[in-house]
Amino acid sequence: MVGRNRNSKERRIRKSQLISTFGVGATMEFPAETLMHAGLEAWTTGSDQELVDDRLARRLGVNVFYEPIQAPEKNIPGGTIPFVRFPLWQVCPRCRTMQKVEWNDRSPRRCNSSVKPRSGGPTCAGLPEFRRPKLTAVRFITACEVGHIDDFPWVEWAHTDRGQKLKRGTGCSNPVLRLSATGRAGLMGLTVECLSCKSKRTLMGAGDPKVLQEYGCTGNRPWLGPDAVEACFASEPPRVLQRGATNVYFSKVVSSILIPPHSTAIRRLIAHKRRWDVLISGADENGCADPERLRFFAEEYNISLEELTEAVNERLGFITGTSAVEQTEDEFRLAEYRAFLSGRNRSQNDDLNVDPQQIADYDQDIQQYFDNIVLIEKLTETRALTGFSRLNPPCSGEVVQENIAALSKKKLTWFPAVRAFGEGIFITLNQQLVDEWSCRKQVKQRYELIQKRLNEVNASRSRDLREISPVFLLLHTLAHMLIRRLSFDCGYGSSSLRERLYCLQNGSEKMSGILVYAAASDAEGTLGGLVLQGKRGHLEQTLRNALVDAANCSSDPLCSESTGQGSDALNLAACHACSLIPETSCEEGNRLLDRLLTIGKPEDVSLGYFGGLLNAVVQG
């Protein structure tokens, strides 16, 4: 296992990046080498890294979460991030010969080839050790949609003629490979040659999606070590990719907002490892804490004995039964939806501080479109990494998915996670107006087109069908419009703002809300200013400007008349000029958007939920 200290000489990695961009199974570029973040068995965990979110842990079926290792200060020894070496095939920049290194080499190897470089001069093996160039990782790898990844089959490729099917085991008895550039454009400009038998082939055709169909997937999981190969059940053959491509790694992050009673100061107090060990050290055989210890603890910290007893016993009951709770994403978010609307949390000691506003205080032309506006002055979010995929992003919503790669060889009782603190604006649409709007014929037609495409995409990838609604498209697009506008009004970059959608249109209790929030994991909170934009006199202008911005798309009429654009053609009227935001801010990967459902058309204002408001703004 390769460990890398995060000091000033190497790229610093934020904790949030270790959960998303550079999570387990992702490759990372270091100076002169490329490494892959190792599995959870190689992590070092301790009580100082522990995060407690019982609501999320109960749903995921784990006991606790651990934060990534903190970066050590300069010149001070500290923890290391565990890595393995990948890709294993590497090339010498001087003589262009290829060599295969070991997965656990602690430092980059120097070339020891006896092949003379084409430019002349001595061989690399004939140079002094300190003058031998370091090997660098090749650019090309193979990966399948369920997370397996491996080196490009260089030996087989060099010994297979163009037009023939690539098969395993093809090659001479003692292959010595050289990767050279011919000066031609594209993959035609790269040639891999076997110096032993003189076989050679350009990389032309390596990008064909079916080029590895006969070769198949090796089932390799290098982030878990050399003995972690498994059978591959992917429906499609692996693809040849460049190691830095954006579709090499898609993290599956499940998030949760701390809500009462989990957000209370007492819960935060007993979550501390040492305090918790003291509280439960005298628990009886039925799992109940010692009353005397609880009384002493309550007196020491000046808290309610009844609330402390309830919190401790509830957490004890959870820990003794850690099986996952059968709960859909809608049910999970409904609890947060209710907490935001309760209006009971104003204590600065809690991890959730909400301030409901009076709709009657806002401009009259705005009031009819909303049921609730809540300023969330303080929120705490837990983001847990549960797996990842390659080639295609994982499905949104449900936690359990078959196409997700595991973070460890065996199921552990914890997941890596980060804790983020921030603020936000929570709004719910007028449910009666939403019901009337979603029944319009033009709205249904645009929704059904996106729903049909979504079903086709999921069916082609052997995924469960997912039912959305016109209201979901409206809420999602509105969240993007507000994020784009708020990035101008409150000073946050658009990548600093995030969305969280609350949409449930079936059943007795409906949800039609969005949370736009800023949350940072590297500090106790954010810069402030977002809540101010949700107050009377600010939110109205932000909303009007967002609608005008969406109406003035520089790509019109191509964008507004589009019948499918974006990833998998799952957007209608939505492009980079009007609706898209950084993918780290979007829960759906910038898909399932249609701005015409918010603003309508000039000839059909009723198509947009806010069409009447935009028309009044333009005319006024």
Side-chain angles (χ1 to χ4, degrees):
M1 198 67 60
V2 183
R4 281 292 180 271
N5 281 323
R6 288 178 286 170
N7 54 34
S8 59
K9 294 183 180 180
E10 294 181 342
R11 179 183 298 178
R12 284 189 174 273
I13 313 173
R14 295 182 179 180
K15 291 186 292 184
S16 57
Q17 289 178 310
L18 288 172
I19 296 300
S20 55
T21 312
F22 303 118
V24 172
T27 58
M28 185 174 176
E29 302 293 330
F30 287 93
E33 59 183 335
T34 302
L35 303 176
M36 176 176 285
H37 198 173
L40 299 186
E41 285 93 349
W43 282 44
T44 301
T45 58
S47 60
D48 57 332
Q49 300 168 245
E50 186 175 305
L51 292 180
V52 176
D53 188 335
D54 290 344
R55 193 171 73 97
L56 181 59
R58 184 179 291 111
R59 189 182 180 208
L60 297 179
V62 296
N63 289 344
V64 72
F65 303 99
Y66 287 106
E67 282 191 300
I69 299 170
Q70 295 283 350
E73 297 294 333
K74 185 177 180 180
N75 299 327
I76 299 178
T80 61
I81 305 174
F83 287 92
V84 296
R85 196 163 295 281
F86 183 84
L88 300 184
W89 274 105
Q90 304 198 351
V91 62
C92 173
R94 181 172 179 269
C95 66
R96 303 304 300 175
T97 56
M98 300 180 66
Q99 300 178 37
K100 200 169 185 180
V101 301
E102 295 295 328
W103 68 280
N104 57 353
D105 282 347
R106 298 196 61 84
S107 59
R109 286 192 184 182
R110 294 184 180 273
C111 181
N112 60 357
S113 172
S114 58
V115 176
K116 287 189 176 183
R118 288 181 173 177
S119 58
T123 65
C124 292
L127 296 174
E129 177 70 23
F130 71 92
R131 291 188 56 191
R132 295 177 184 176
K134 293 181 180 180
L135 300 176
T136 60
V138 294
R139 286 186 291 159
F140 300 97
I141 58 173
T142 67
C144 78
E145 61 182 353
V146 297
H148 302 139
I149 191 170
D150 208 340
D151 286 272
F152 182 80
W154 295 103
V155 174
E156 290 85 350
W157 184 267
H159 294 85
T160 303
D161 294 332
R162 184 180 177 185
Q164 293 182 346
K165 292 183 179 180
L166 194 68
K167 297 181 179 180
R168 299 188 194 183
T170 304
C172 62
S173 58
N174 185 32
V176 178
L177 302 183
R178 176 161 60 190
L179 183 65
S180 56
T182 64
R184 303 179 69 177
L187 296 179
M188 280 289 291
L190 291 175
T191 300
V192 55
E193 175 186 5
C194 179
L195 301 179
S196 297
C197 64
K198 306 304 179 185
S199 297
K200 64 179 180 179
R201 184 180 178 183
T202 70
L203 292 188
M204 184 178 180
D208 188 336
K210 303 295 184 181
V211 71
L212 297 176
Q213 188 166 17
E214 188 75 18
Y215 187 86
C217 179
T218 61
N220 191 27
R221 299 185 293 174
W223 65 95
L224 299 179
D227 56 346
V229 177
E230 66 175 6
C232 181
F233 56 88
S235 58
E236 295 291 330
R239 296 279 302 273
V240 177
L241 305 172
Q242 294 199 49
R243 68 171 191 266
T246 56
N247 61 342
V248 171
Y249 186 82
F250 295 101
S251 60
K252 176 60 178 176
V253 177
V254 181
S255 62
S256 167
I257 305 294
L258 285 184
I259 59 175
H262 308 282
S263 62
T264 61
I266 289 181
R267 293 298 182 108
R268 186 169 61 250
L269 189 67
I270 67 174
H272 190 276
K273 184 70 167 63
R274 291 182 180 177
R275 299 192 194 106
W276 178 251
D277 289 342
V278 171
L279 284 171
I280 65 172
S281 60
D284 58 25
E285 57 184 12
N286 296 321
C288 295
D290 181 12
E292 286 300 315
R293 290 180 182 271
L294 294 176
R295 183 184 60 79
F296 177 80
F297 192 89
E299 292 177 355
E300 181 179 0
Y301 289 96
N302 193 26
I303 56 178
S304 168
L305 177 60
E306 292 75 14
E307 294 180 2
L308 175 64
T309 303
E310 179 183 1
V312 170
N313 288 335
E314 181 178 344
R315 186 157 189 250
L316 273 172
F318 157 69
I319 291 177
T320 55
T322 57
S323 59
V325 174
E326 293 292 336
Q327 189 178 39
T328 66
E329 184 69 18
D330 289 334
E331 294 170 339
F332 188 77
R333 297 199 179 196
L334 184 58
E336 299 174 6
Y337 189 86
R338 293 168 178 163
F340 296 154
L341 298 181
S342 67
R344 294 195 299 263
N345 300 42
R346 294 304 308 277
S347 172
Q348 294 296 329
N349 293 325
D350 283 3
D351 286 324
L352 180 68
N353 189 342
V354 301
D355 183 14
Q357 304 295 292
Q358 296 294 326
I359 293 294
D361 293 339
Y362 291 82
D363 291 351
Q364 190 171 2
D365 60 339
I366 300 291
Q367 297 175 18
Q368 61 178 314
Y369 296 99
F370 301 100
D371 277 342
N372 300 278
I373 299 175
V374 181
L375 306 182
I376 304 183
E377 298 173 348
K378 181 182 179 181
L379 64 80
T380 303
E381 180 189 27
T382 306
R383 303 172 190 166
L385 177 66
T386 61
F388 63 90
S389 65
R390 307 192 193 276
L391 301 183
N392 300 306
C395 296
S396 302
E398 300 306 316
V399 173
V400 180
Q401 297 179 25
E402 294 183 354
N403 65 326
I404 297 299
L407 305 179
S408 56
K409 294 180 183 179
K410 298 180 180 179
K411 182 176 174 57
L412 303 179
T413 59
W414 62 276
F415 278 129
V418 294
R419 183 64 53 79
F421 307 89
E423 56 177 335
I425 304 172
F426 178 73
I427 61 176
T428 66
L429 302 183
N430 185 323
Q431 191 61 53
Q432 181 179 353
L433 192 61
V434 162
D435 292 338
E436 296 173 359
W437 168 83
S438 60
C439 291
R440 294 170 185 165
K441 181 180 178 180
Q442 306 93 319
V443 172
K444 287 185 176 181
Q445 288 175 343
R446 298 185 72 85
Y447 151 70
E448 289 171 355
L449 178 58
I450 296 180
Q451 180 68 70
K452 180 181 178 181
R453 288 221 181 103
L454 180 61
N455 291 342
E456 292 173 350
V457 169
N458 287 336
S460 66
R461 296 171 182 167
S462 302
R463 294 176 175 177
D464 294 335
L465 298 184
R466 177 188 177 194
E467 188 73 24
I468 56 174
S469 67
V471 182
F472 178 88
L473 300 176
L474 168 64
L475 291 169
H476 190 203
T477 309
L478 176 61
H480 279 226
M481 292 163 53
L482 290 176
I483 287 175
R484 289 171 64 95
R485 189 64 219 178
L486 284 167
S487 66
F488 289 98
D489 293 344
C490 66
Y492 284 106
S494 57
S495 60
S496 300
L497 300 177
R498 301 168 67 93
E499 67 176 6
R500 193 165 177 84
L501 307 177
Y502 298 86
C503 184
L504 179 61
Q505 299 303 305
N506 301 321
S508 57
E509 188 172 3
K510 296 184 177 181
M511 294 190 295
S512 299
I514 57 175
L515 171 65
V516 176
Y517 66 104
S521 60
D522 295 336
E524 289 290 332
T526 53
L527 298 175
L530 182 59
V531 166
L532 177 63
Q533 297 302 318
K535 294 186 176 181
R536 178 184 61 184
H538 295 272
L539 183 62
E540 301 96 327
Q541 194 60 40
T542 295
L543 178 61
R544 294 188 186 103
N545 290 338
L547 296 175
V548 172
D549 292 343
N552 296 327
C553 176
S554 60
S555 295
D556 278 342
L558 295 178
C559 178
S560 60
E561 297 177 359
S562 172
T563 57
Q565 57 182 322
S567 178
D568 297 319
L570 288 175
N571 294 333
L572 291 182
C575 67
H576 284 284
C578 61
S579 302
L580 303 191
I581 59 177
E583 291 195 1
T584 54
S585 303
C586 177
E587 291 191 306
E588 299 291 341
N590 271 327
R591 299 178 298 175
L592 307 176
L593 298 165
D594 183 9
R595 63 186 168 93
L596 294 190
L597 295 181
T598 63
I599 62 175
K601 298 179 180 179
E603 67 274 14
D604 186 9
V605 176
S606 64
L607 174 63
Y609 179 83
F610 294 99
L613 177 59
L614 175 62
N615 192 42
V617 171
V618 173
Q619 294 181 357

